[in-house]
Amino acid sequence: MSEFVTTQQIGDAADFVRAHTSHRPEVGLILGSGLGPLADAIDSPDVIATADIPHWPASTVQGHTGRLVIGPLAGHAALVLQGRTHFYEGYGMDHVTLPVRVMIELGIRTLIVTNASGGLNPNYRPGDLMLIRDHINFPGMAGNNPLRGPNEERYGPRFPDMTQPYDPALRALAHRVAAEAGFALREGVYAYVAGPSFETPAELRFLQMVGADAVGMSTAPEVVVARHAGLRVLGISTVANLAQTDPTPDAVVTHQEVLETGALAVPRLIQVVCGVLERLSEAG
Ligand code: HPA
């Protein structure tokens, strides 16, 4: 058997999804820790347990139920993935990004990715929403790029451009939607680290020095695979906790805190995502 996920396996997974919904999604959404309720905004969706989909990696993390929720969202046929898988769970990057390839096979051309992150920018506060302008893919730069291995021309070129990973027009639209709803979005650089241990104070100071505004354990692999195939990407990060660069003796970061703060930001996240989808034609 091949070391990497094959196009045949991706095709099998896509066929399974197609056979279990009559919707033809054009927009894909991947939801981060604690952000699952966004899927509730879909009216009478088709729901597929990812455990039933052939070759789909199982999500093992609390706050990440593995389901696809497919149906109309703010005027578009959408496919929402609740419960992504992460590299730290032990999967290869090809499995972590299999859902994006399945979305591509289904004809999705716009991807909205969300995550929970730790705030590195000293101006950020827990509960802030940050549009991702750019990312630093630390595992990718060190060799664990999801495009490592044979290039599938079907999905894109061997050496894909990454100068505009997060679509400028979609970001501008998201800012307008938020401003009209009466709140502001941050915009910054997301540092992707493998996890699962949270960062040490020295690692956090390092990330600040190299220009990161938030740090988290997801998203960059999926975005690289999406951009490889030319999808338009919008990335939104919920700042769940603040980096403890100079920790007090009792300072701790917990997954529970990440989930709870994520929940606080969900209503604003839903407003931004639905507003962007309703007005997608404004972004060209
Ligand atoms: N670090 C890494 N990932 C995270 C954090 C963090 O502080 N918060 C939520 N996801």
Side-chain angles (χ1 to χ4, degrees):
M1 198 176 108
S2 161
E3 186 196 345
F4 294 97
V5 171
T6 62
T7 48
Q8 175 70 47
Q9 290 172 322
I10 293 160
D12 291 348
D15 286 345
F16 183 94
V17 175
R18 255 188 233 107
H20 287 82
T21 181
S22 54
H23 298 288
R24 292 292 167 256
E26 339 140 30
V27 176
L29 292 97
I30 301 179
L31 304 185
S33 308
L35 307 178
L38 182 55
D40 300 341
I42 298 189
D43 224 10
S44 14
D46 293 328
V47 178
I48 303 173
T50 56
D52 294 337
I53 307 174
H55 315 297
W56 200 282
S59 169
T60 63
V61 190
Q62 185 207 343
H64 284 266
T65 4
R67 342 189 273 165
L68 295 186
V69 183
I70 309 172
L73 181 63
H76 296 270
L79 178 152
V80 179
L81 168 58
Q82 259 179 318
R84 57 153 61 94
T85 39
H86 304 78
F87 186 66
Y88 61 72
E89 292 173 77
Y91 295 104
M93 287 297 183
D94 52 338
H95 274 104
V96 169
T97 57
L98 175 141
V100 178
R101 290 254 161 107
V102 171
M103 289 181 186
I104 294 164
E105 291 291 350
L106 294 174
I108 285 171
R109 298 301 301 159
T110 302
L111 176 66
I112 301 180
V113 278
T114 66
N115 62 49
S117 63
L120 296 164
N121 184 315
N123 297 322
Y124 289 4
R125 294 292 166 264
D128 280 356
L129 293 179
M130 183 190 91
L131 292 183
I132 306 177
R133 183 192 320 119
D134 200 349
H135 70 226
I136 306 174
N137 179 357
F138 280 100
M141 292 172 76
N144 270 310
N145 190 296
L147 302 178
R148 177 177 172 268
N151 186 60
E152 296 295 347
E153 289 290 329
R154 175 179 181 77
Y155 297 116
R158 174 76 287 186
F159 300 108
D161 171 66
M162 285 291 147
T163 50
Q164 305 268 22
Y166 300 87
D167 193 82
L170 290 179
R171 274 187 276 136
L173 176 58
H175 279 301
R176 289 199 298 279
V177 166
E180 287 168 30
F183 59 92
L185 298 175
R186 310 287 194 171
E187 184 169 313
V189 174
Y190 175 83
Y192 167 53
V193 295
S197 50
F198 288 113
E199 301 70 41
T200 67
E203 288 166 346
L204 292 166
R205 289 192 298 270
F206 164 79
L207 293 171
Q208 285 176 326
M209 271 190 283
V210 297
D213 296 290
V215 54
M217 303 176 194
S218 71
T219 302
E222 292 116 308
V223 171
V224 168
V225 167
R227 291 299 300 146
H228 181 230
L231 273 67
R232 300 179 84 185
V233 177
L234 178 68
I236 310 174
S237 190
T238 304
V239 178
N241 54 286
L242 296 182
Q244 303 287 332
T245 47
D246 194 13
T248 54
D250 56 351
V252 282
V253 179
T254 65
H255 185 55
Q256 195 53 36
E257 173 190 2
V258 170
L259 294 181
E260 283 169 14
T261 319
L264 292 179
V266 164
R268 277 171 292 133
L269 184 73
I270 292 176
Q271 271 184 295
V272 174
V273 169
C274 291
V276 165
L277 290 178
E278 276 159 16
R279 295 164 58 179
L280 204 54
S281 59
E282 287 178 37

